[in-house]
PDB file of all heavy atoms in Angstrom:
ATOM      1  N   GLU Q  40     -55.172 -44.236  41.356  1.00  0.00           N
ATOM      2  CA  GLU Q  40     -54.222 -43.679  40.500  1.00  0.00           C
ATOM      3  C   GLU Q  40     -52.862 -44.571  40.589  1.00  0.00           C
ATOM      4  O   GLU Q  40     -52.697 -45.318  41.531  1.00  0.00           O
ATOM      5  CB  GLU Q  40     -53.842 -42.228  40.815  1.00  0.00           C
ATOM      6  CG  GLU Q  40     -55.008 -41.292  40.701  1.00  0.00           C
ATOM      7  CD  GLU Q  40     -55.431 -41.112  39.223  1.00  0.00           C
ATOM      8  OE1 GLU Q  40     -54.703 -41.540  38.307  1.00  0.00           O
ATOM      9  OE2 GLU Q  40     -56.507 -40.530  39.000  1.00  0.00           O
ATOM     10  N   PRO Q  41     -51.969 -44.375  39.649  1.00  0.00           N
ATOM     11  CA  PRO Q  41     -50.662 -45.073  39.752  1.00  0.00           C
ATOM     12  C   PRO Q  41     -49.745 -44.506  40.731  1.00  0.00           C
ATOM     13  O   PRO Q  41     -48.564 -45.068  40.824  1.00  0.00           O
ATOM     14  CB  PRO Q  41     -50.113 -45.031  38.316  1.00  0.00           C
ATOM     15  CG  PRO Q  41     -51.204 -44.386  37.425  1.00  0.00           C
ATOM     16  CD  PRO Q  41     -52.015 -43.641  38.351  1.00  0.00           C
ATOM     17  N   TRP Q  42     -50.091 -43.468  41.399  1.00  0.00           N
ATOM     18  CA  TRP Q  42     -49.197 -42.747  42.350  1.00  0.00           C
ATOM     19  C   TRP Q  42     -49.956 -42.249  43.467  1.00  0.00           C
ATOM     20  O   TRP Q  42     -51.195 -42.147  43.475  1.00  0.00           O
ATOM     21  CB  TRP Q  42     -48.482 -41.653  41.643  1.00  0.00           C
ATOM     22  CG  TRP Q  42     -49.432 -40.800  40.875  1.00  0.00           C
ATOM     23  CD1 TRP Q  42     -50.411 -39.857  41.345  1.00  0.00           C
ATOM     24  CD2 TRP Q  42     -49.594 -40.720  39.409  1.00  0.00           C
ATOM     25  NE1 TRP Q  42     -51.161 -39.310  40.298  1.00  0.00           N
ATOM     26  CE2 TRP Q  42     -50.733 -39.823  39.101  1.00  0.00           C
ATOM     27  CE3 TRP Q  42     -48.896 -41.324  38.320  1.00  0.00           C
ATOM     28  CZ2 TRP Q  42     -51.099 -39.503  37.796  1.00  0.00           C
ATOM     29  CZ3 TRP Q  42     -49.432 -41.025  37.106  1.00  0.00           C
ATOM     30  CH2 TRP Q  42     -50.399 -40.171  36.800  1.00  0.00           C
ATOM     31  N   PRO Q  43     -49.282 -41.819  44.610  1.00  0.00           N
ATOM     32  CA  PRO Q  43     -49.990 -41.215  45.723  1.00  0.00           C
ATOM     33  C   PRO Q  43     -50.189 -39.726  45.532  1.00  0.00           C
ATOM     34  O   PRO Q  43     -49.623 -39.111  44.607  1.00  0.00           O
ATOM     35  CB  PRO Q  43     -48.998 -41.442  46.855  1.00  0.00           C
ATOM     36  CG  PRO Q  43     -47.655 -41.422  46.196  1.00  0.00           C
ATOM     37  CD  PRO Q  43     -47.853 -41.978  44.814  1.00  0.00           C
ATOM     38  N   GLY Q  44     -51.038 -39.116  46.321  1.00  0.00           N
ATOM     39  CA  GLY Q  44     -51.264 -37.708  46.257  1.00  0.00           C
ATOM     40  C   GLY Q  44     -52.685 -37.249  46.231  1.00  0.00           C
ATOM     41  O   GLY Q  44     -53.025 -36.163  46.755  1.00  0.00           O
ATOM     42  N   GLY Q  45     -53.631 -38.036  45.748  1.00  0.00           N
ATOM     43  CA  GLY Q  45     -54.988 -37.607  45.758  1.00  0.00           C
ATOM     44  C   GLY Q  45     -55.184 -36.365  45.016  1.00  0.00           C
ATOM     45  O   GLY Q  45     -54.826 -36.189  43.807  1.00  0.00           O
ATOM     46  N   ARG Q  46     -55.726 -35.309  45.593  1.00  0.00           N
ATOM     47  CA  ARG Q  46     -56.024 -34.044  45.008  1.00  0.00           C
ATOM     48  C   ARG Q  46     -54.688 -33.333  44.658  1.00  0.00           C
ATOM     49  O   ARG Q  46     -54.692 -32.445  43.764  1.00  0.00           O
ATOM     50  CB  ARG Q  46     -56.817 -33.116  45.876  1.00  0.00           C
ATOM     51  CG  ARG Q  46     -58.233 -33.653  46.154  1.00  0.00           C
ATOM     52  CD  ARG Q  46     -59.096 -32.692  46.978  1.00  0.00           C
ATOM     53  NE  ARG Q  46     -60.335 -33.404  47.272  1.00  0.00           N
ATOM     54  CZ  ARG Q  46     -61.394 -32.692  47.473  1.00  0.00           C
ATOM     55  NH1 ARG Q  46     -61.529 -31.370  47.221  1.00  0.00           N
ATOM     56  NH2 ARG Q  46     -62.535 -33.378  47.817  1.00  0.00           N
ATOM     57  N   ALA Q  47     -53.623 -33.683  45.241  1.00  0.00           N
ATOM     58  CA  ALA Q  47     -52.287 -33.228  44.868  1.00  0.00           C
ATOM     59  C   ALA Q  47     -51.838 -34.060  43.645  1.00  0.00           C
ATOM     60  O   ALA Q  47     -50.937 -34.850  43.706  1.00  0.00           O
ATOM     61  CB  ALA Q  47     -51.301 -33.333  45.989  1.00  0.00           C
ATOM     62  N   GLY Q  48     -52.515 -33.827  42.511  1.00  0.00           N
ATOM     63  CA  GLY Q  48     -52.213 -34.587  41.321  1.00  0.00           C
ATOM     64  C   GLY Q  48     -51.049 -34.158  40.555  1.00  0.00           C
ATOM     65  O   GLY Q  48     -50.278 -33.204  40.911  1.00  0.00           O
ATOM     66  N   ARG Q  49     -50.756 -34.860  39.405  1.00  0.00           N
ATOM     67  CA  ARG Q  49     -49.609 -34.597  38.641  1.00  0.00           C
ATOM     68  C   ARG Q  49     -49.893 -34.862  37.175  1.00  0.00           C
ATOM     69  O   ARG Q  49     -50.779 -35.723  36.841  1.00  0.00           O
ATOM     70  CB  ARG Q  49     -48.391 -35.475  39.079  1.00  0.00           C
ATOM     71  CG  ARG Q  49     -48.646 -36.943  39.024  1.00  0.00           C
ATOM     72  CD  ARG Q  49     -47.615 -37.753  39.686  1.00  0.00           C
ATOM     73  NE  ARG Q  49     -47.650 -37.705  41.097  1.00  0.00           N
ATOM     74  CZ  ARG Q  49     -46.778 -38.218  41.879  1.00  0.00           C
ATOM     75  NH1 ARG Q  49     -45.766 -38.859  41.443  1.00  0.00           N
ATOM     76  NH2 ARG Q  49     -46.868 -38.094  43.247  1.00  0.00           N
ATOM     77  N   ARG Q  50     -49.194 -34.142  36.265  1.00  0.00           N
ATOM     78  CA  ARG Q  50     -49.378 -34.344  34.843  1.00  0.00           C
ATOM     79  C   ARG Q  50     -48.084 -33.877  34.197  1.00  0.00           C
ATOM     80  O   ARG Q  50     -47.608 -32.719  34.462  1.00  0.00           O
ATOM     81  CB  ARG Q  50     -50.528 -33.486  34.351  1.00  0.00           C
ATOM     82  CG  ARG Q  50     -50.875 -33.777  32.873  1.00  0.00           C
ATOM     83  CD  ARG Q  50     -52.012 -32.894  32.489  1.00  0.00           C
ATOM     84  NE  ARG Q  50     -53.240 -33.376  33.181  1.00  0.00           N
ATOM     85  CZ  ARG Q  50     -54.183 -34.200  32.684  1.00  0.00           C
ATOM     86  NH1 ARG Q  50     -53.958 -34.839  31.453  1.00  0.00           N
ATOM     87  NH2 ARG Q  50     -55.219 -34.530  33.327  1.00  0.00           N
ATOM     88  N   ASP Q  51     -47.401 -34.695  33.423  1.00  0.00           N
ATOM     89  CA  ASP Q  51     -46.179 -34.436  32.805  1.00  0.00           C
ATOM     90  C   ASP Q  51     -46.385 -34.258  31.274  1.00  0.00           C
ATOM     91  O   ASP Q  51     -46.963 -35.056  30.607  1.00  0.00           O
ATOM     92  CB  ASP Q  51     -45.173 -35.575  33.032  1.00  0.00           C
ATOM     93  CG  ASP Q  51     -44.859 -35.782  34.471  1.00  0.00           C
ATOM     94  OD1 ASP Q  51     -45.177 -34.855  35.261  1.00  0.00           O
ATOM     95  OD2 ASP Q  51     -44.355 -36.911  34.784  1.00  0.00           O
ATOM     96  N   ILE Q  52     -46.012 -32.995  30.821  1.00  0.00           N
ATOM     97  CA  ILE Q  52     -46.215 -32.630  29.402  1.00  0.00           C
ATOM     98  C   ILE Q  52     -44.969 -31.994  28.831  1.00  0.00           C
ATOM     99  O   ILE Q  52     -44.560 -30.986  29.322  1.00  0.00           O
ATOM    100  CB  ILE Q  52     -47.447 -31.660  29.306  1.00  0.00           C
ATOM    101  CG1 ILE Q  52     -48.674 -32.243  29.836  1.00  0.00           C
ATOM    102  CG2 ILE Q  52     -47.676 -31.240  27.845  1.00  0.00           C
ATOM    103  CD1 ILE Q  52     -49.920 -31.333  29.957  1.00  0.00           C
ATOM    104  N   GLY Q  53     -44.431 -32.645  27.814  1.00  0.00           N
ATOM    105  CA  GLY Q  53     -43.386 -31.995  27.064  1.00  0.00           C
ATOM    106  C   GLY Q  53     -42.127 -31.515  27.953  1.00  0.00           C
ATOM    107  O   GLY Q  53     -41.561 -30.486  27.640  1.00  0.00           O
ATOM    108  N   GLY Q  54     -41.810 -32.347  28.924  1.00  0.00           N
ATOM    109  CA  GLY Q  54     -40.718 -31.936  29.771  1.00  0.00           C
ATOM    110  C   GLY Q  54     -41.073 -31.106  30.982  1.00  0.00           C
ATOM    111  O   GLY Q  54     -40.231 -30.781  31.879  1.00  0.00           O
ATOM    112  N   TYR Q  55     -42.315 -30.677  31.144  1.00  0.00           N
ATOM    113  CA  TYR Q  55     -42.790 -29.914  32.264  1.00  0.00           C
ATOM    114  C   TYR Q  55     -43.407 -30.881  33.258  1.00  0.00           C
ATOM    115  O   TYR Q  55     -44.220 -31.724  32.902  1.00  0.00           O
ATOM    116  CB  TYR Q  55     -43.876 -28.915  31.875  1.00  0.00           C
ATOM    117  CG  TYR Q  55     -43.410 -27.811  30.945  1.00  0.00           C
ATOM    118  CD1 TYR Q  55     -43.526 -27.893  29.582  1.00  0.00           C
ATOM    119  CD2 TYR Q  55     -42.912 -26.603  31.468  1.00  0.00           C
ATOM    120  CE1 TYR Q  55     -43.086 -26.947  28.743  1.00  0.00           C
ATOM    121  CE2 TYR Q  55     -42.389 -25.587  30.680  1.00  0.00           C
ATOM    122  CZ  TYR Q  55     -42.522 -25.737  29.338  1.00  0.00           C
ATOM    123  OH  TYR Q  55     -42.101 -24.691  28.480  1.00  0.00           O
ATOM    124  N   LEU Q  56     -43.037 -30.779  34.518  1.00  0.00           N
ATOM    125  CA  LEU Q  56     -43.530 -31.669  35.632  1.00  0.00           C
ATOM    126  C   LEU Q  56     -44.555 -30.804  36.346  1.00  0.00           C
ATOM    127  O   LEU Q  56     -44.171 -29.956  37.196  1.00  0.00           O
ATOM    128  CB  LEU Q  56     -42.414 -32.134  36.553  1.00  0.00           C
ATOM    129  CG  LEU Q  56     -41.266 -32.834  35.798  1.00  0.00           C
ATOM    130  CD1 LEU Q  56     -40.269 -33.299  36.816  1.00  0.00           C
ATOM    131  CD2 LEU Q  56     -41.757 -33.951  34.955  1.00  0.00           C
ATOM    132  N   ILE Q  57     -45.841 -31.011  36.067  1.00  0.00           N
ATOM    133  CA  ILE Q  57     -46.929 -30.162  36.571  1.00  0.00           C
ATOM    134  C   ILE Q  57     -47.578 -30.807  37.822  1.00  0.00           C
ATOM    135  O   ILE Q  57     -47.955 -31.943  37.803  1.00  0.00           O
ATOM    136  CB  ILE Q  57     -47.948 -29.969  35.475  1.00  0.00           C
ATOM    137  CG1 ILE Q  57     -47.339 -29.338  34.228  1.00  0.00           C
ATOM    138  CG2 ILE Q  57     -49.184 -29.217  35.946  1.00  0.00           C
ATOM    139  CD1 ILE Q  57     -48.194 -29.305  33.021  1.00  0.00           C
ATOM    140  N   ASP Q  58     -47.692 -29.909  38.791  1.00  0.00           N
ATOM    141  CA  ASP Q  58     -48.592 -30.245  39.984  1.00  0.00           C
ATOM    142  C   ASP Q  58     -49.921 -29.648  39.763  1.00  0.00           C
ATOM    143  O   ASP Q  58     -50.085 -28.471  39.582  1.00  0.00           O
ATOM    144  CB  ASP Q  58     -47.982 -29.657  41.288  1.00  0.00           C
ATOM    145  CG  ASP Q  58     -46.735 -30.386  41.740  1.00  0.00           C
ATOM    146  OD1 ASP Q  58     -46.645 -31.582  41.654  1.00  0.00           O
ATOM    147  OD2 ASP Q  58     -45.860 -29.695  42.224  1.00  0.00           O
ATOM    148  N   THR Q  59     -50.969 -30.512  39.687  1.00  0.00           N
ATOM    149  CA  THR Q  59     -52.344 -30.046  39.417  1.00  0.00           C
ATOM    150  C   THR Q  59     -53.107 -29.687  40.632  1.00  0.00           C
ATOM    151  O   THR Q  59     -54.249 -29.176  40.482  1.00  0.00           O
ATOM    152  CB  THR Q  59     -53.117 -31.042  38.628  1.00  0.00           C
ATOM    153  OG1 THR Q  59     -53.200 -32.271  39.350  1.00  0.00           O
ATOM    154  CG2 THR Q  59     -52.402 -31.390  37.258  1.00  0.00           C
ATOM    155  N   GLY Q  60     -52.614 -29.877  41.786  1.00  0.00           N
ATOM    156  CA  GLY Q  60     -53.292 -29.624  43.027  1.00  0.00           C
ATOM    157  C   GLY Q  60     -52.824 -28.410  43.770  1.00  0.00           C
ATOM    158  O   GLY Q  60     -52.459 -27.403  43.198  1.00  0.00           O
ATOM    159  N   PRO Q  61     -52.610 -28.538  45.093  1.00  0.00           N
ATOM    160  CA  PRO Q  61     -52.183 -27.371  45.930  1.00  0.00           C
ATOM    161  C   PRO Q  61     -50.780 -27.045  45.583  1.00  0.00           C
ATOM    162  O   PRO Q  61     -49.923 -27.801  45.247  1.00  0.00           O
ATOM    163  CB  PRO Q  61     -52.230 -27.931  47.394  1.00  0.00           C
ATOM    164  CG  PRO Q  61     -52.239 -29.415  47.189  1.00  0.00           C
ATOM    165  CD  PRO Q  61     -52.937 -29.802  45.880  1.00  0.00           C
ATOM    166  N   THR Q  62     -50.456 -25.688  45.714  1.00  0.00           N
ATOM    167  CA  THR Q  62     -49.107 -25.214  45.457  1.00  0.00           C
ATOM    168  C   THR Q  62     -48.565 -24.517  46.728  1.00  0.00           C
ATOM    169  O   THR Q  62     -47.294 -24.235  46.861  1.00  0.00           O
ATOM    170  CB  THR Q  62     -49.116 -24.252  44.358  1.00  0.00           C
ATOM    171  OG1 THR Q  62     -49.864 -23.078  44.639  1.00  0.00           O
ATOM    172  CG2 THR Q  62     -49.622 -24.868  43.028  1.00  0.00           C
ATOM    173  N   VAL Q  63     -49.384 -24.229  47.704  1.00  0.00           N
ATOM    174  CA  VAL Q  63     -48.966 -23.527  48.963  1.00  0.00           C
ATOM    175  C   VAL Q  63     -48.853 -24.523  50.060  1.00  0.00           C
ATOM    176  O   VAL Q  63     -49.991 -25.051  50.475  1.00  0.00           O
ATOM    177  CB  VAL Q  63     -49.963 -22.353  49.274  1.00  0.00           C
ATOM    178  CG1 VAL Q  63     -49.507 -21.661  50.503  1.00  0.00           C
ATOM    179  CG2 VAL Q  63     -50.023 -21.297  48.077  1.00  0.00           C
ATOM    180  N   LEU Q  64     -47.702 -24.829  50.616  1.00  0.00           N
ATOM    181  CA  LEU Q  64     -47.578 -25.713  51.696  1.00  0.00           C
ATOM    182  C   LEU Q  64     -47.211 -24.917  52.944  1.00  0.00           C
ATOM    183  O   LEU Q  64     -46.288 -24.105  52.951  1.00  0.00           O
ATOM    184  CB  LEU Q  64     -46.462 -26.705  51.456  1.00  0.00           C
ATOM    185  CG  LEU Q  64     -46.747 -27.800  50.333  1.00  0.00           C
ATOM    186  CD1 LEU Q  64     -45.576 -28.737  50.197  1.00  0.00           C
ATOM    187  CD2 LEU Q  64     -48.077 -28.516  50.628  1.00  0.00           C
TER     188      LEU Q  64
END
Side-chain angles (χ1 to χ4, degrees):
E40 299 292 347
W42 48 70
R46 295 185 190 213
R49 60 189 72 183
R50 188 178 293 267
D51 299 343
I52 301 174
Y55 294 93
L56 306 184
I57 298 170
D58 289 319
T59 59
T62 62
V63 178
L64 293 181

